Structures are given as structure tokens and as C-alpha cells.
Amino acid sequence: MSRSPTHAITRREALSRLLGLGVLASTGCAPSTGDASAPAIALPAQVPGEEVAARSRYADDVDALCDVLLPTELDASGKVLSPGAREADVDGALRIEDFVAIASAQGILPALADADVRRLSGGADAFRAVLNAELAVLAARHRPLAAFRDLPRAVQEQIVVDAFDDDAQRPLVLVARAACFVAFLGAVTNDIGLRAVGFPAFESFEDGLAVSGYPRTKSGRLVDASTEDLARLAGKGDLDDYTYNRAPAPTPGDDLTTVLDASGDLL
Amino acid sequence: MAGGFHDIVIVGSGFGGAVMAARLGAHAKTLAKKPSVLVLEKGWDGSGKLDPRSDGGPVNAQGNRFRHTLSPAYTSKVAQVFTDPRGTYQRGAPSMNVIAGKGFGGGSIVYDGVSLRAPAEAFEQVRDGRRLWPSFYSRAALSPYYAMVEQRLGVHRLAWTDASAPHHQLATKRDFVFAEGCRRIGATAVPLKLADAGDANEGWWNQGQRFEGRQDLTKNYLRDARDSGVVMWSGCEVEHVAPTKDGYVISGTDRRGGAAVPFEIECRVLVVAGGAVGSSGLLLRSVDRFGDARALDPAQMLGKQVSANGDYGVSGVVGRDYEHDVEGHKGKPMSSFCPSFFGQHKFVLIPFYAAPLYLALGGASTLLRPREPAASGRGSTGIARDATGLEERAFGLAYKKRLMTFGPRMLTMGCLAIDACEGEISLARSGTGCDVSWRETSATTEARWKAAVDAMRRIYEALGGEMYLDAYRKDGTVSTAHPLGGCRMTERGDAAGVVDTCGESLRNRNLFVVDAAVIPSALGVNPSLTIAAVAESIADRLIRGAGTEALADRLA
């Protein structure tokens, strides 16, 4: 039987395209008509016996994406070994009004095209809807009828890698990644992420007050340097201090008198 | 539309505007007519004390509105980033990022208090046979003004040990580690001169420090101005200035109270002090409102020859074989520097606290390894590949684990150099604000940055660690917190700038620019002290009528 000159699409491709069209329609982005030159969507080969993810523990695809970008580390029993974006309340970061516009203006996001800023703005729910829709399309390219949140982690990561390399998808993952790291390291609604990377807990989160640099004991008690004997505390090994009487060794042969004056300014 | 008249209007409240507000405000009180002085600041009043009508969140236990958070909803109130969205060097990548303070205190609300006098040779730079600075300026000529600023800001030199200074005036463990790295490559680190308000500080936004202890201009010059009766309005963004018969009219938008209310204010004397980008942008937007006879930019120099002050930042880690963690987040954000390379290569190195958030997202430096660790130069290398040939990823569990390792052992440092002023400020193509760009790097600047990057890499390696990939080597992006120029000072009669040695427009009497925009060259050190000293000098000459018309006569 001779093949038709027009490319016959597989059932899987048809499903994928239909799903994609449905998503585009739902987001108001109608594809251009007559786009006969659009490349066929390449689907990965089926691998019998490939790991199938357990039923998703994620609320939606965005939730799963955030866990891919900045994962929670779990042990075999499901205990959290180290927190990720979800524990750090990435939803709280995404709820920041005009997040995309102000994150872009603050350099947290690279400068985005105005069209992208408009597309991804309009509130957390709107952004989430757009991102969920895009993730559905991307997931369908890899595995029809599977939600992104239900894909194996390796496939999810590959989707994210591909999205970073794709001009159209990059803004979406950049925004999601920015939200994850802002939540984790920005002390937006908690300091979980900062503590995970070695920072001390906030002194008063309500008052927006991180720990001061004043000397403390090993147990964290603030030392009053005007009334307490730092030397005695240090001698007991009870001073959690990072400067106490440290002085660097001199550098042999480096004469600074030609570049520095007595008050510490360059000549 | 709101309006009114003030004898003197100052646009901006950073190291130029705050000094002018304090000095001119105090002088105005002594004049018979008691001329009025108004400061317009587009940002908020983080001090909670200067503008009773300011919006901006609750006042905290320290009596101000500052918070230790990097939520962009907050940081957008205290700082802004200017960039070049066109990506002129590499497609899709900006070529220059500038961070600037926003709010009463200008850059001082995000600075680290570093207060070094500029080296003498910074003032003596020559290009095309012409001295970049007007002949009035030299290190010696500015010396008394440096001293005035140092006194007002409480500048002192830090110490290494408790035996030499009170605990809150010590360099940090980060500096101790940096000093050891310098020593191992034959260089030397010394404690910095710093402005502080008597606090041990915390290497945390903004830019760390217990709010009442950190130094900024709301605690000194702006408080002096308020006490002299200077009126201060926050949330008022000036969009245009235009000449009138006897002065200037300033138009903009007042956003206090949530609504955007247009205003027009007339004045006799106008001081533009919105910073290098802000002032240049305001004048660029206003050029068309000045006729040929009063041309703002007769030499076509507005926005040109902008310096990044040689800023170049890198991040990295010290090795586990080195005995100490860095704990870079503890203590003052900056407290030592290495001047050993200045004689030959015209740069200094400074270790500093950089928030891991910005490193993780890679705006200026990244947490990724470079493909070629020893590469230097614009766009010279990419991201390292793993054993499978794939580029390291800036997300995922491995990246998070690197971040967690990075926390205690991170060492971030940067150079400040005498660059060749290759930047440019232009009106934004989007129609609002400004774009900044850095299209080409001269051989002079490139050589200095290469030497600096090499020195920094050797420090990391000497400490058993490694230097990560920065945005200049990766994407060609220049990032600076110290933009200088855009409205360069020049001698009258010399077509090499925008304003004269007093900051006065060459063809517009009583229109001054007094801030980083008038600085005509890189300084090679943090510039705030020099900007304030230049402002002190200009205020002094205006008040005394020395070499220029006295302020009293201008207001008569």
C-alpha cells in the first residue's frame, strides 16, 4: 500500500495535539491557521517496564513543578530530610501582587518581553492557570493523557530542561524558579529555607528582624559586651563569636606603604 | 493637580541631594527672606520620620519600616534595577544591570557604609589629552570636604581584634578568611573605613544590620535638613523639568495615599540629585523642553561615558581542607579590602555578603561551575558539564545541596577598578524610565578585570575552594551598584560635559546636578564618600559665593 503524501499522525500525536489545542483555546491563545509547516511532535519511545510514578501527592502541576525546581528531600519513610520550595511556602511568593512585574524590575527575573509580563501577570490564580495549562501540553508531548505531576521525576526534569531551552516556555519556568527561590531564601513568609542553608533563625519574623551580629554564647544567648567578660566566655569555649581576637598573619613581602596612607585610604 | 512654589527644590535624597538639603536648608534659615526648600523623593520614607504623609507599611520596634526580607514586594520599595532589555552583547542577555537605592536616603539605604577616599590618581586621569576632572578637583582639594562627611557619617576604621576596638567595630570572620586567602597569594587585606551607627550589624538585607544601628542618610544629613525646616515629600516622582522666565517648573506624579496625583511645582533654584541613572534620565526626558538658547545638552554628552566603577563580583566556596567556615552572613556586609593590586592593576578587592537568593538566580554571579575555570573576559566561558556531558542545572536537588553547602562556606568578593567609562544611559525603548547599556569593553577595562578575576580565582584556590561562574564571563553582563557619570562635570567653555564645576547647567542658570551623575570618571573605590564630598564642596561654594554666584543673590 502506498503511503499518503500527507503525513499520517499517530493516535498518540492526535491526542497530544487535541489536548494542546484545548489548552490553547482555554487560555485564549488560538494557534495560527494554515500552519502546515509546523514540525511534527516527536514522542519518546515507550519503554516497557519503565517506572510509573505513584499517584501524585501534588495539588496540581505547578505544585509538582516547584518540587522539581527546588525539591523537598525525603527519606525512604517519607520523612523530610531537607525542606524545599513547598515547605518554604512558594504559594506565598506567587501570591505577591504583580510578582512577575516586580520580580522582573528587581532583577530576580531577567528582563522579560512586555508580552510575557502581560501574559504571566494578573494575579496568582491567573499565572497558575497559564502555567498548569502549559505544563499539561509539555507533559502530553512526553506521555499522552498523563499529567505533569504524575510523570516520573526524570521526565519532569527533562521537561524543565527543555523548557529552559525554549524561547516560548523559558519565561514560565523562570518565573516559577524565581518564586521558588524567593520563598526559600527571601524570608517572605518564613525562614525555613534560610535555616536550611545555614542561617540562624530569625530573632523576630513578625518584626522582620534577623539575628544581629552581636556576640552570643554557644546556646544563642545575646552577650552584653559592656557588662560581660568576653575573654572569660571565650576561655570557657562558650563564645559563639566569629571575630573574637582574630588577626590575620602578616603577608611577607607585600609593602602597602606605596598604595595606602596611615588612615587606611588609598594614596 | 497639586502645585505651588518653593524657592529651592531638590529632586532626590541620596549622597548628593541629602547633603545639599542639609547645607542649603541650614543656610536658608539664616537669610532674611527665609527661602523655602523642598525635597522630592520618588521612593518611600523608610525612616517613618521625614514625611508625615508617607505610605509604606507598619513601623517596627526600632521606629522605622525597614525589614529583613527579600520579598520583591518589599525590595521594590527600597531599590530598583535598571537594565538593558535589548541584550546588546548577546542575544537574550542584558548587557548591564545597575542597582540603585530608592527612598529617602537614596543609595545609602542599600549601601554597606564603605567610606574610602578616592585615590589621588582617580582625579588625574587623562583621556585624549584632556583631564577628565575639572582642574578645581583633586584629592587634596576635596580633603576638607571628605573630613566633613566623615565626621557627619561617623566614619572610622575597623579593627581586627577586640583588643583594638569595640566589638561592633571589628572586621568579620569572612574578612579573616579573605585575608588568609590574600596572604597565600602574596597580597594583604586590611580593615575598611566604614560609616556606622554603633552596631555589630548583620550581613543581611538591607543591606543587613539592625535597623537602628545601620548608618544611612536619614539619620544624619536628612535629619539635619528636616530640623532646618526643609520639607520632604516621598512618593513623588519627577518626570520632567522645564524652564520658566524666572526658574523652573517640575512636573511629576505624587503617589502618596495610593492615588496617582499629577503635580507641577515652580522653583527658583533646582537641584537634580536622582543618581547617575535617575538624573540623566530626567534630563534626557526634558531636553526637548529647553530651547536651543538654553540647551541642556549642548555637547551631546548627556548619558554618555558612564562608569560602572569597575564593579565585578564573583562567588565561590572555600575548601573543606581549610580550617574555617566563612559564615559570610555574620557581621558587617563589608569590612576589609585588599589594596595590593592597585599600584599595578588599578583595582581593589573587597569580600562582601551577597544574599544567596541573587546568587542562586544568577543575575550577577551564579552557583554554577565554569566550563573553563581560568577563563576571563566577556562571554569567555559557559557552564561546566557533568560526567554525562550535560550542563549543570540551576535547579533540582543537586543544586539545592550545593546551596546548602555554599551557605556556611560561601565567600563572595568583588573588585572595584578604574574602568574607562564604557556605559551609556538612554531613554527606555518601552517609553518609561531608562535603559543602561555596556556595549563594548575597552582593552583597558578588560585587562583590569582579567587581572582581578585571576586574583580572585587564585584566592579561592589558595583556600582549597573554587570560584563559580559569573554573569560577565557567562553572558557578558556587567553589573554595578556604583554607576557614575551621565551628566559629567566640565570646565565652562569646554564641550566635554553637561554641567560646570559647581554642577550648574552650562546654559541654564540655577539648574544644578549634584550627585553621582556629575562624577566624570571611575574612582576605583566605593563612591558614596566622594559623591558627598563633592556635594559638600558645591554647597560650600554656593553659600560663600566662591567661584560662583552666591545662593543668596540667586534667590534675591
Side-chain angles (χ1 to χ4, degrees), chain A residues 68-73 81-84 96-97 99 102-112 114 157-158 160-161 164 167 174 177-178 181-188 194 196-200 202-203 205-216 222 225 230 240-256 259-267, chain B residues 60-62 66-73 75-76 79-81 83 85 91 115-121 139 150 157 160-163 167 170-173 176 179-180 182-183 186-190 193 198-202 204 210-211 324 327 329-331 337 339-340 342-343 348 353 356-358 360-361 363 393-397 399-401 403-404 407-408 410 430 524-525:
Chain A
V68 172
L69 292 167
L70 194 48
T72 309
E73 190 180 10
L81 295 176
S82 67
I96 292 170
E97 195 175 344
F99 177 80
I102 59 175
S104 188
Q106 287 294 294
I108 290 170
L109 280 168
L112 298 180
D114 290 346
E157 288 183 347
Q158 190 56 51
V160 173
V161 169
F164 274 117
D167 285 346
L174 283 172
R177 191 181 65 145
F181 281 95
V182 163
F184 198 68
L185 299 170
V188 177
L194 285 170
V197 301
F199 283 57
F202 264 55
E203 206 155 279
F205 199 87
E206 282 294 298
D207 216 20
L209 194 60
V211 170
S212 78
Y214 285 112
R216 287 168 188 272
L222 197 61
L230 290 178
D240 180 28
D241 194 1
Y242 48 91
T243 60
Y244 187 74
N245 274 342
R246 290 183 192 277
T251 306
D254 187 29
D255 178 14
L256 295 184
V259 290
L260 214 60
D261 67 19
S263 65
D265 287 305
L266 290 171
L267 289 168
Chain B
N60 61 21
Q62 285 74 38
F66 295 123
R67 292 285 188 280
H68 290 162
T69 177
L70 296 174
S71 168
T75 56
S76 62
Q80 66 187 115
V81 175
T83 189
R91 186 168 169 267
S115 302
L116 291 172
R117 299 185 182 196
E121 66 185 89
R139 165 76 170 263
E150 288 165 346
R157 193 176 184 190
W160 287 117
T161 70
D162 295 60
H167 188 84
L170 299 183
T172 71
K173 186 174 174 183
F176 178 78
E180 176 60 17
C182 289
R183 195 186 69 79
T188 306
V190 296
K193 286 171 65 185
D199 196 286
N201 301 340
E202 165 68 15
W204 178 248
R210 190 156 293 245
F211 313 120
H324 295 293
E327 297 181 298
H329 56 282
K330 290 185 175 178
F337 79 118
S340 300
F342 192 80
V348 299
Y353 168 74
L357 171 62
Y358 300 121
L361 295 174
R393 298 168 176 174
F395 71 89
L397 188 59
Y399 195 61
K400 190 183 84 170
K401 283 186 175 292
L403 191 60
M404 292 169 72
M410 73 175 192
S430 63
V525 295

Side-chain angles (χ1 to χ4, degrees), chain B residues 138-154:
Chain B
S138 66
R139 165 76 170 263
L142 276 184
S143 207
Y145 302 108
Y146 273 130
M148 292 167 73
V149 181
E150 288 165 346
Q151 190 275 330
R152 192 66 195 95
L153 295 183

Side-chain angles (χ1 to χ4, degrees), chain A residues 39-129:
Chain A
I41 299 168
L43 292 172
Q46 290 284 350
V47 181
E50 185 185 11
E51 174 198 353
V52 176
R55 196 64 199 163
S56 178
R57 58 196 171 93
Y58 302 112
D60 62 4
D61 286 347
V62 174
D63 195 28
L65 173 65
C66 292
D67 198 40
V68 172
L69 292 167
L70 194 48
T72 309
E73 190 180 10
L74 303 169
D75 68 9
S77 67
K79 182 185 166 195
V80 174
L81 295 176
S82 67
R86 298 163 78 228
E87 288 74 23
D89 190 19
V90 62
D91 290 344
L94 283 170
R95 280 195 300 273
I96 292 170
E97 195 175 344
D98 294 328
F99 177 80
V100 174
I102 59 175
S104 188
Q106 287 294 294
I108 290 170
L109 280 168
L112 298 180
D114 290 346
D116 284 323
V117 173
R118 281 194 300 273
R119 181 169 66 113
L120 303 175
S121 297
D125 291 343
F127 172 73
R128 209 169 186 102

Side-chain angles (χ1 to χ4, degrees), chain B residues 450-471:
Chain B
K450 279 176 183 281
V453 169
D454 181 60
M456 292 189 280
R457 179 179 54 77
R458 287 191 293 129
I459 289 173
Y460 285 111
E461 291 174 358
L463 293 169
E466 62 182 325
M467 188 170 85
Y468 291 147
L469 179 60
D470 56 83

Side-chain angles (χ1 to χ4, degrees), chain B residues 19 36 39 116 196 287 317 332 349 378 393 431 440 487 517 519 522 528 548:
Chain B
V19 170
S36 59
V39 175
L116 291 172
D196 82 33
V287 160
V317 287
K332 297 177 187 298
L349 300 179
R378 196 167 201 175
R393 298 168 176 174
E440 301 293 337
C487 305
I519 303 295
S528 56
T548 188

